[in-house]
Amino acid sequence: MHMLLAQAAGTTISVAAIGKGLVYGLAAIGPGIGIGLVFGNAIQAIARQPEAAGLVRPIMFIGFALAEALALLGFVLFFLIH
C-alpha cells in the first residue's frame, strides 16, 4: 500500500511538471503567431505606402506589446501552478 502511495506522489509531481511545460509552451504559440502577423502586415503596409510609415510604426509596436503581454501572462501562470 505504501508503495502505491509513493508512486502516486511521484506521478503527481511529474504530471505537474508536464502541466507547467504545456502551459508556457501553449501560451507562447499564440503570441508568436500574433507577433509574426503584426510585423509581416506592417512591412507590407510600409512597402505599399512608404509615406505612411510614420503612422504604421506606432500601431505596429502597440500590437507587438499587446501580443507579448499574452506570453508574459503564460509565463506568470507557469510559476503559479503548484
Side-chain angles (χ1 to χ4, degrees):
M1 183 69 173
H2 294 291
M3 290 183 63
L4 289 175
L5 291 174
Q7 286 178 347
T11 303
T12 57
I13 292 171
S14 63
V15 170
I18 292 171
K20 281 185 172 185
L22 284 174
V23 163
Y24 187 61
L26 293 175
I29 290 173
I33 293 170
I35 290 170
L37 290 173
V38 166
F39 280 101
N41 288 328
I43 290 170
Q44 282 185 359
I46 292 171
R48 289 175 188 234
Q49 290 185 325
E51 66 275 3
L55 296 173
V56 172
R57 201 170 288 127
I59 295 171
M60 174 186 69
F61 285 119
I62 290 171
F64 167 75
L66 291 174
E68 190 65 28
L70 293 175
L72 291 175
L73 287 174
F75 190 64
V76 169
L77 281 176
F78 172 79
F79 287 110
L80 290 178
I81 293 177
H82 288 38

